Amino acid sequence: MKTLNDFNFKDKKALIRVDFNVPLDENFNVTDATRIVSAKPTIIKVLEDGGSCILMSHLGRPKGVQAEFSLNHIVPKVSDILGVEVKFVSECVGEKAEAAAASLQPGEVLILENLRFHSEETAGDKAFAEQLAKLGDIYVNDAFGTAHRAHASTTIVAEFFPDQKCFGSLLAQEIESIDKVMKTGEKPVLAILGGAKVSSKITIIENILDKVDHLIIGGGMAFTFIKAQGGKIGNSICEDDKMELALDILKQAKEKNVQVHIPVDTIAADAFSNDANTQEVDIDKIPDGWEGVDAGPESRKQFHDVVMQCKTILWNGPLGVFEMESFAQGTIELGNSIAEATKNGAFSLVGGGDSVAAVKQFGFEDKVSYVSTGGGAMLESLEGIVLPGIAAILE
Ligand code: AMP
């Protein structure tokens, strides 16, 4: 796996695919700069070697050229974070872009205009990728969030740099973290899958059963398993057409010696609302008219014990409707348990959508080993897919 350290960037122009798809407010100020901060180590390494950086990214989903999606808006923020006056060119390919890239001096940083102003980007157009490739000497992919897309700048462009290509430090960290869970992690390995639906996680569960020793199934998806086993789940969310599959997953887990942990109790609410009436009940005895919205106290205790036994932990999906304060406690306590296990030396990876939001919201970000930056890319990695953006560098 080629990384930044395999290259000396002195007098080289690094063409770096970053993910600067950041949220902006109505005055085009960046409201969350996490993705820019995450790309900083890669950019700084190139600059410190004596090279220059040409940064390419998308922003939003423009239809053709739309000024509100210009990457020009984020230039001051990037300059601020890097501590370098960043240049901008209002094109990403063609004469103007080529002239701006050619005049770039060692130590300088240039941001190209939004790649998605050209439909060729998402189409993975080869001629467009070739035009991008003209701009730099070494291609660096540091955008995990788009690594599952075979777009021109994330995948196709790599063909034009047969040897001169590598992973940026962010993408390398993402790959290493996933490898720790899926291949090299110290045992016992635990995966915690929560969230709303079994259907969105089936492929992950099936892939992961070969890698883990323990599996916690929580959140809304647990109810499909409970009902399939004959439990009474009241109004809790459930995918009836996935009940058979749920039983099959439990059977497969048994055959593979994976210990499955499903909540034994739940906080039941009489409405899907933060100020609903609630009661603690056994998870398979939920009264009619009530729905399970969070893990109950006994489940939290059992999950804590499992987490504390494990040396490698993956967490994807909340244990309850954490967006509502009254139903966030199970997710918060799980976060606390993972933080404690991490402090004791376990490796913990949080990734894929809502668990990342929960970790940030409740302040666990610095208490786990790694928080993935890519939602869809992370989920596809857990499904066992080799992402096209990663394969293109390995080839
Ligand atoms: P996912 O995107 O599949 O990870 O699902 C995340 C969503 O699952 C969050 O918005 C949670 O509010 C929701 N969720 C978790 N537990 C429950 C539950 N018991 N009932 C309904 N929704 C839930």
PDB file of all heavy atoms in Angstrom, residues 266-280:
ATOM      1  N   THR A 266     -36.421  -2.811  27.262  1.00  0.00           N
ATOM      2  CA  THR A 266     -36.467  -1.593  26.444  1.00  0.00           C
ATOM      3  C   THR A 266     -37.216  -0.494  27.181  1.00  0.00           C
ATOM      4  O   THR A 266     -37.987  -0.777  28.113  1.00  0.00           O
ATOM      5  CB  THR A 266     -37.139  -1.889  25.082  1.00  0.00           C
ATOM      6  OG1 THR A 266     -37.051  -0.736  24.242  1.00  0.00           O
ATOM      7  CG2 THR A 266     -38.621  -2.234  25.241  1.00  0.00           C
ATOM      8  N   ILE A 267     -36.948   0.735  26.770  1.00  0.00           N
ATOM      9  CA  ILE A 267     -37.780   1.851  27.215  1.00  0.00           C
ATOM     10  C   ILE A 267     -38.908   1.934  26.183  1.00  0.00           C
ATOM     11  O   ILE A 267     -38.643   2.151  24.994  1.00  0.00           O
ATOM     12  CB  ILE A 267     -36.985   3.180  27.216  1.00  0.00           C
ATOM     13  CG1 ILE A 267     -35.698   3.056  28.050  1.00  0.00           C
ATOM     14  CG2 ILE A 267     -37.877   4.335  27.689  1.00  0.00           C
ATOM     15  CD1 ILE A 267     -35.894   2.778  29.519  1.00  0.00           C
ATOM     16  N   ALA A 268     -40.122   1.703  26.654  1.00  0.00           N
ATOM     17  CA  ALA A 268     -41.259   1.763  25.737  1.00  0.00           C
ATOM     18  C   ALA A 268     -41.953   3.119  25.904  1.00  0.00           C
ATOM     19  O   ALA A 268     -42.056   3.630  27.027  1.00  0.00           O
ATOM     20  CB  ALA A 268     -42.233   0.628  26.028  1.00  0.00           C
ATOM     21  N   ALA A 269     -42.383   3.683  24.777  1.00  0.00           N
ATOM     22  CA  ALA A 269     -43.050   4.985  24.804  1.00  0.00           C
ATOM     23  C   ALA A 269     -44.449   4.821  24.213  1.00  0.00           C
ATOM     24  O   ALA A 269     -44.672   3.949  23.366  1.00  0.00           O
ATOM     25  CB  ALA A 269     -42.240   5.995  24.001  1.00  0.00           C
ATOM     26  N   ASP A 270     -45.393   5.674  24.664  1.00  0.00           N
ATOM     27  CA  ASP A 270     -46.747   5.559  24.112  1.00  0.00           C
ATOM     28  C   ASP A 270     -46.943   6.458  22.892  1.00  0.00           C
ATOM     29  O   ASP A 270     -48.034   6.558  22.353  1.00  0.00           O
ATOM     30  CB  ASP A 270     -47.822   5.821  25.180  1.00  0.00           C
ATOM     31  CG  ASP A 270     -47.764   7.231  25.749  1.00  0.00           C
ATOM     32  OD1 ASP A 270     -46.859   8.001  25.365  1.00  0.00           O
ATOM     33  OD2 ASP A 270     -48.638   7.559  26.594  1.00  0.00           O
ATOM     34  N   ALA A 271     -45.854   7.157  22.484  1.00  0.00           N
ATOM     35  CA  ALA A 271     -45.885   7.956  21.258  1.00  0.00           C
ATOM     36  C   ALA A 271     -44.441   8.174  20.817  1.00  0.00           C
ATOM     37  O   ALA A 271     -43.524   8.079  21.627  1.00  0.00           O
ATOM     38  CB  ALA A 271     -46.548   9.298  21.508  1.00  0.00           C
ATOM     39  N   PHE A 272     -44.235   8.464  19.524  1.00  0.00           N
ATOM     40  CA  PHE A 272     -42.886   8.706  19.025  1.00  0.00           C
ATOM     41  C   PHE A 272     -42.570  10.188  19.228  1.00  0.00           C
ATOM     42  O   PHE A 272     -42.526  10.984  18.308  1.00  0.00           O
ATOM     43  CB  PHE A 272     -42.827   8.326  17.535  1.00  0.00           C
ATOM     44  CG  PHE A 272     -41.424   8.206  17.007  1.00  0.00           C
ATOM     45  CD1 PHE A 272     -40.614   7.141  17.356  1.00  0.00           C
ATOM     46  CD2 PHE A 272     -40.905   9.162  16.139  1.00  0.00           C
ATOM     47  CE1 PHE A 272     -39.319   7.023  16.873  1.00  0.00           C
ATOM     48  CE2 PHE A 272     -39.611   9.050  15.642  1.00  0.00           C
ATOM     49  CZ  PHE A 272     -38.820   7.984  16.014  1.00  0.00           C
ATOM     50  N   SER A 273     -42.408  10.536  20.508  1.00  0.00           N
ATOM     51  CA  SER A 273     -42.249  11.950  20.849  1.00  0.00           C
ATOM     52  C   SER A 273     -41.424  12.050  22.118  1.00  0.00           C
ATOM     53  O   SER A 273     -41.527  11.211  23.014  1.00  0.00           O
ATOM     54  CB  SER A 273     -43.639  12.556  21.038  1.00  0.00           C
ATOM     55  OG  SER A 273     -43.598  13.588  21.989  1.00  0.00           O
ATOM     56  N   ASN A 274     -40.609  13.103  22.208  1.00  0.00           N
ATOM     57  CA  ASN A 274     -39.702  13.265  23.335  1.00  0.00           C
ATOM     58  C   ASN A 274     -40.438  13.311  24.671  1.00  0.00           C
ATOM     59  O   ASN A 274     -39.919  12.883  25.682  1.00  0.00           O
ATOM     60  CB  ASN A 274     -38.872  14.537  23.142  1.00  0.00           C
ATOM     61  CG  ASN A 274     -37.667  14.583  24.054  1.00  0.00           C
ATOM     62  OD1 ASN A 274     -36.984  13.578  24.237  1.00  0.00           O
ATOM     63  ND2 ASN A 274     -37.420  15.727  24.647  1.00  0.00           N
ATOM     64  N   ASP A 275     -41.669  13.856  24.689  1.00  0.00           N
ATOM     65  CA  ASP A 275     -42.381  13.911  25.976  1.00  0.00           C
ATOM     66  C   ASP A 275     -43.508  12.879  26.095  1.00  0.00           C
ATOM     67  O   ASP A 275     -44.473  13.089  26.823  1.00  0.00           O
ATOM     68  CB  ASP A 275     -42.852  15.336  26.296  1.00  0.00           C
ATOM     69  CG  ASP A 275     -43.323  16.062  25.060  1.00  0.00           C
ATOM     70  OD1 ASP A 275     -44.060  15.442  24.252  1.00  0.00           O
ATOM     71  OD2 ASP A 275     -42.932  17.217  24.877  1.00  0.00           O
ATOM     72  N   ALA A 276     -43.323  11.779  25.415  1.00  0.00           N
ATOM     73  CA  ALA A 276     -44.277  10.665  25.548  1.00  0.00           C
ATOM     74  C   ALA A 276     -44.168  10.074  26.959  1.00  0.00           C
ATOM     75  O   ALA A 276     -43.162  10.277  27.647  1.00  0.00           O
ATOM     76  CB  ALA A 276     -43.938   9.593  24.525  1.00  0.00           C
ATOM     77  N   ASN A 277     -45.197   9.346  27.382  1.00  0.00           N
ATOM     78  CA  ASN A 277     -45.079   8.570  28.626  1.00  0.00           C
ATOM     79  C   ASN A 277     -44.183   7.370  28.333  1.00  0.00           C
ATOM     80  O   ASN A 277     -44.221   6.829  27.230  1.00  0.00           O
ATOM     81  CB  ASN A 277     -46.455   8.080  29.071  1.00  0.00           C
ATOM     82  CG  ASN A 277     -47.366   9.243  29.394  1.00  0.00           C
ATOM     83  OD1 ASN A 277     -47.014  10.114  30.195  1.00  0.00           O
ATOM     84  ND2 ASN A 277     -48.524   9.280  28.745  1.00  0.00           N
ATOM     85  N   THR A 278     -43.386   6.955  29.334  1.00  0.00           N
ATOM     86  CA  THR A 278     -42.490   5.817  29.095  1.00  0.00           C
ATOM     87  C   THR A 278     -42.602   4.798  30.228  1.00  0.00           C
ATOM     88  O   THR A 278     -43.026   5.133  31.334  1.00  0.00           O
ATOM     89  CB  THR A 278     -41.012   6.260  28.999  1.00  0.00           C
ATOM     90  OG1 THR A 278     -40.642   6.885  30.224  1.00  0.00           O
ATOM     91  CG2 THR A 278     -40.782   7.206  27.838  1.00  0.00           C
ATOM     92  N   GLN A 279     -42.194   3.577  29.907  1.00  0.00           N
ATOM     93  CA  GLN A 279     -42.062   2.549  30.950  1.00  0.00           C
ATOM     94  C   GLN A 279     -40.969   1.567  30.529  1.00  0.00           C
ATOM     95  O   GLN A 279     -40.692   1.406  29.342  1.00  0.00           O
ATOM     96  CB  GLN A 279     -43.391   1.818  31.181  1.00  0.00           C
ATOM     97  CG  GLN A 279     -43.992   1.185  29.930  1.00  0.00           C
ATOM     98  CD  GLN A 279     -45.233   0.345  30.242  1.00  0.00           C
ATOM     99  OE1 GLN A 279     -45.247  -0.393  31.214  1.00  0.00           O
ATOM    100  NE2 GLN A 279     -46.256   0.450  29.398  1.00  0.00           N
ATOM    101  N   GLU A 280     -40.334   0.975  31.546  1.00  0.00           N
ATOM    102  CA  GLU A 280     -39.319  -0.043  31.256  1.00  0.00           C
ATOM    103  C   GLU A 280     -40.008  -1.394  31.187  1.00  0.00           C
ATOM    104  O   GLU A 280     -40.709  -1.773  32.119  1.00  0.00           O
ATOM    105  CB  GLU A 280     -38.272  -0.090  32.377  1.00  0.00           C
ATOM    106  CG  GLU A 280     -37.402   1.152  32.440  1.00  0.00           C
ATOM    107  CD  GLU A 280     -36.535   1.174  33.689  1.00  0.00           C
ATOM    108  OE1 GLU A 280     -36.388   0.113  34.355  1.00  0.00           O
ATOM    109  OE2 GLU A 280     -36.019   2.254  34.002  1.00  0.00           O
TER     110      GLU A 280
END
